[in-house]
Amino acid sequence: GENVEQHPSTLSVQEGDSAVIKCTYSDSASNYFPWYKQELGKGPQLIIDIRSNVGEKKDQRIAVTLNKTAKHFSLHITETQPEDSAVYFCAAAEDQTGANNLFFGTGTRLTVIP
Amino acid sequence: NAGVMQNPRHLVRRRGQEARLRCSPMKGHSHVYWYRQLPEEGLKFMVYLQKENIIDESGMPKERFSAEFPKEGPSILRIQQVVRGDSAAYFCASSPPRGVGEKLFFGSGTQLSVL
């Protein structure tokens, strides 16, 4: 089965700096990679996703890159703000409709210091 | 349009009791997924249901755990004879019918504490 590893487990940055979270996956059949943000006391919320037919996707201050050859993908947050503080999870699945086959990383706790 | 609703938010049970967790999917969503999250860990898939059908329960323990999604009413995750190791956050997610490019929407979870 798929194995998703996520690093770092904790990350602290100064407000305005960039934050990068990296994930690797093991199953070359995986082709859908969503990122979720989980705030305290809430469920995970999808913030961005990417499919393996593209190498990069951007949405305002958030971007995700994918290296299919190396089987790793990363989340980039620029100009971080205190409200970006949360736990971020990466995930991988064989296709977008296979939510029962969505494998999650162990999470990164991001703290943005004002 | 209300999101995925889970209740209760917090549930305390003593060892040996039963825990019933409820999930109402988003309006128009016919697919429900249950995940378990242990402290400092990611979400682990448990079971995937459609109305009146269990599609995939490969992530659910064979004993003491069961799930249903009846024709009417919420999806229920039931844990019988709870043990301390069942303490975790249980999240429900829903999605529209497959094949429409659906994404997962999560509820706020139920924190189960077994004393």
Side-chain angles (χ1 to χ4, degrees), chain A residues 32 36 38 41-46 49 51 57 89 95-107 109, chain B residues 9 33 35 37 40-45 48 55-56 91 98-109:
Chain A
Y32 175 62
Y36 289 84
Q38 186 176 21
K42 297 183 179 179
Q45 301 297 314
L46 179 70
D49 56 11
R51 294 181 184 175
K57 185 176 178 181
F89 292 97
D95 61 59
Q96 189 177 358
T97 60
N100 50 319
N101 290 318
L102 199 59
F103 293 87
F104 284 84
T106 50
R109 184 175 299 278
Chain B
R9 288 297 306 275
Y33 309 81
Y35 287 81
Q37 184 179 36
E40 306 302 320
E41 290 189 14
L43 296 106
K44 303 293 186 189
F45 166 77
Y48 162 39
I55 306 303
D56 181 353
F91 288 94
R98 296 178 72 169
V100 195
E102 85 284 5
K103 299 179 191 292
L104 277 187
F105 295 84
F106 282 86
S108 296

Side-chain angles (χ1 to χ4, degrees), chain A residues 44-45, chain B residues 1-6 23-33 51 69 73-75 92-97 102-108:
Chain A
Q45 301 297 314
Chain B
N1 185 12
V4 178
M5 304 300 292
Q6 286 188 252
C23 169
S24 296
M26 284 182 71
K27 187 177 180 180
H29 287 191
S30 56
H31 299 246
V32 166
Y33 309 81
K51 287 282 187 182
F69 188 16
S75 174
C92 167
S94 72
S95 71
E102 85 284 5
K103 299 179 191 292
L104 277 187
F105 295 84
F106 282 86
S108 296

Side-chain angles (χ1 to χ4, degrees), chain B residues 13 16-21 36 46 63-66 77-83 86 90 112:
Chain B
R13 284 289 177 265
Q17 291 184 321
E18 178 180 285
R20 291 171 70 91
L21 289 63
R36 177 162 64 178
M46 298 182 72
E63 298 179 354
R64 302 189 297 108
F65 285 72
S66 62
L77 179 66
R78 190 165 86 156
I79 311 172
Q80 296 178 293
Q81 300 171 2
V82 295
V83 300
D86 296 333
Y90 292 84
L112 173 64

